[in-house]
Amino acid sequence: MVTKDRIDQLAIFTAPPAFDEPLHVGRPNIPDRGRLIARLNDMLDRRWLTNAGPYVMEFERKLADLLGAPHVVAMTNATLALELVADALAWQGEVILPSFTFIATAHALRRRGLHPVFCDVDPRTHNLDPQKVEAAITPRTAAIVGVHVWGRPCAIEELEAIARRHRLGLVFDAAHALGCTSGGRPIGGFGDAEVFSFHATKVVSTFEGGAVATNSAELAGRLIHLRNFGFDGEDHVARLGTNAKMPEVSAAMGLGGLESLSGWVEVNRRNYHDYRAQFHGVAGIEILPYDENERGNYQYVVACVDAEAVGLTRDQLRAVLWAENVLARRYFYPGCHRLEPYRSEVRDHSPVLPVTERLTESVLALPSSTAIGQQEIEGIGRIVRLCLEHGDIVRRRLEATAVPLNAVAPSQAPSPSRLT
Ligand SMILES: *Cc1c(COP(=O)(O)O)cnc(C)c1O
């Protein structure tokens, strides 16, 4: 690692990068290899590769314990899981959800023929603003989908009260929130159902994977049919299903992940505190806080950049970091409502989303996870502070040299992670 003390040492001004290897957001966590390989050998010996095999059943049981929900149905990914929940609950019409989420939340609903109604979020929590949710309800509203962004819980009680009052469905996209709590209770047991993701970038991965947690035996039963072509007996198909079964190899990976989860969270938590210390008292940047009274997974370290105070935009800061091989990421940019097909459908009466638009311009997720530690965080902190202390000079130099802000990292490495 090269330490940067002066602006002319920044890689974006053609000096060597601080890091030889790229530092990623959401670099996959790898569980104990010996145990994984032992499980794979057992699986091959059994020749039971999919269709509710023993690893999938064990993974579902262990998830149910962790998530505090009696029923867990494992799926191929969270996107299909959400589609099947919307199907099983027979939603029709409009569904209120945030635009500040990964595009999959909206796509899953839209692919069910539902009409996503994007609602603004609370600037403090980054999650759905309950007052704005209530204002968005129409006679066509079927349900609300909240997202526990960064693993920080939605305003669950308020949303539950609204859903009860208006007789709406309520489901949470808990893709970020494995192992997190709200009011001390595990996320997984709220609403009609909660949907988890085990994509490679999430804290526990099954390569690709997802699961639905629910208190309803009836809903779980329907999901079990839906994920398996609608079969409810050997030769009997009860409804229009699809194929969303989690294979055994994924569940084997997931079981190892659950065994390692507390250790990974400990590393994430330490990284988060190291980052907080780097930017403590620094004007113009804040590491989004986690509530220490809740259990969290600390998978995301999110910097909020105040461009006016700093003299640099978030994208300029990001370009500086990428040149140093620090692959910090914009999140949910530019917002679902600005992506297709929703962008083309924006109508005159579509709600304006000022908080969402501000967040998509100001948040920057920083590399964390088991792949990095204190030394890297100090190096990153130093680069960012250097930029902030000399924000105007850095900005003027960037503008004078017309450095493209979609800069590519020096390693040119394709990212193993995507923006989820
Ligand atoms: C990752 C993610 C998804 C999609 O999960 P997949 O398992 O990749 O389908 C949905 N919503 C959010 C908020 C996510 O971060």
Side-chain angles (χ1 to χ4, degrees), residues 187-205:
I187 287 179
F190 297 104
D192 297 314
E194 303 207 61
V195 176
F196 292 83
S197 171
F198 306 107
H199 179 254
T201 55
K202 305 302 202 278
V203 63
V204 167
S205 151

Side-chain angles (χ1 to χ4, degrees), residues 213-257:
T214 178
N215 296 312
S216 163
E218 198 192 338
L219 175 59
R222 254 176 280 159
L223 291 169
I224 288 168
H225 295 162
L226 284 171
R227 77 173 169 187
N228 188 30
F229 311 100
F231 277 107
D232 69 346
E234 195 181 342
D235 297 312
H236 192 256
V237 171
R239 47 169 58 85
L240 175 63
T242 186
N243 183 358
K245 300 186 300 294
M246 176 179 278
E248 284 288 275
V249 65
S250 288
M253 180 78 166
L255 285 167

Side-chain angles (χ1 to χ4, degrees), residues 77-79 101-102 104-105 147 173 175-176 197 199 202 209 418 420:
N77 59 61
T79 308
T101 181
F102 184 55
T105 321
V147 183
D173 176 338
H176 289 187
S197 171
H199 179 254
K202 305 302 202 278
R418 59 164 206 224
T420 63

Side-chain angles (χ1 to χ4, degrees), residues 62-325:
K62 293 207 162 135
L63 279 173
D65 289 344
L66 175 67
L67 304 177
H71 308 283
V72 170
V73 183
M75 305 263 186
T76 44
N77 59 61
T79 308
L80 264 177
L82 183 55
E83 263 192 66
L84 294 193
V85 166
D87 184 351
L89 294 172
W91 292 346
Q92 285 188 323
E94 298 175 357
V95 177
I96 298 168
L97 76 161
S99 174
F100 192 67
T101 181
F102 184 55
I103 195 68
T105 321
H107 278 358
L109 300 169
R110 183 50 191 271
R111 290 181 65 82
R112 283 298 314 151
L114 292 156
H115 186 80
V117 174
F118 295 112
C119 181
D120 214 358
V121 292
D122 180 316
R124 203 174 39 82
T125 65
H126 296 189
N127 287 325
L128 275 181
D129 180 333
Q131 280 187 353
K132 292 179 181 162
V133 169
E134 193 148 32
I137 293 171
T138 73
R140 293 175 302 283
T141 307
I144 302 165
V145 172
V147 183
H148 306 300
V149 170
W150 319 127
R152 304 192 323 160
C154 284
I156 293 174
E157 277 178 23
E158 287 93 329
L159 293 175
E160 280 176 342
I162 293 168
R164 244 192 331 269
R165 211 159 43 241
H166 297 270
R167 298 174 184 279
L168 303 176
L170 177 63
V171 164
F172 294 102
D173 176 338
H176 289 187
L178 187 81
C180 303
T181 60
S182 173
R185 283 169 58 199
I187 287 179
F190 297 104
D192 297 314
E194 303 207 61
V195 176
F196 292 83
S197 171
F198 306 107
H199 179 254
T201 55
K202 305 302 202 278
V203 63
V204 167
S205 151
T206 59
F207 306 108
E208 293 272 1
V212 180
T214 178
N215 296 312
S216 163
E218 198 192 338
L219 175 59
R222 254 176 280 159
L223 291 169
I224 288 168
H225 295 162
L226 284 171
R227 77 173 169 187
N228 188 30
F229 311 100
F231 277 107
D232 69 346
E234 195 181 342
D235 297 312
H236 192 256
V237 171
R239 47 169 58 85
L240 175 63
T242 186
N243 183 358
K245 300 186 300 294
M246 176 179 278
E248 284 288 275
V249 65
S250 288
M253 180 78 166
L255 285 167
L258 292 182
E259 287 158 6
S260 302
L261 177 61
S262 62
W264 291 337
V265 168
E266 215 28 62
V267 173
N268 284 346
R269 206 171 107 86
R270 200 167 59 224
N271 287 347
Y272 157 77
H273 282 293
D274 286 347
Y275 271 117
R276 292 272 296 176
Q278 286 297 317
F279 300 119
H280 182 75
V282 177
I285 192 162
E286 193 205 8
I287 299 295
L288 196 72
Y290 288 102
D291 182 348
E292 299 279 342
N293 295 317
E294 302 285 3
R295 199 172 72 205
N297 62 32
Y298 299 87
Q299 177 74 351
Y300 297 90
V301 175
V302 181
C304 303
V305 181
D306 178 349
E308 285 191 7
V310 167
L312 276 183
T313 65
R314 182 272 317 269
D315 287 347
Q316 287 169 328
L317 185 60
R318 172 172 163 271
V320 168
L321 288 171
W322 274 60
E324 305 290 353
N325 252 333

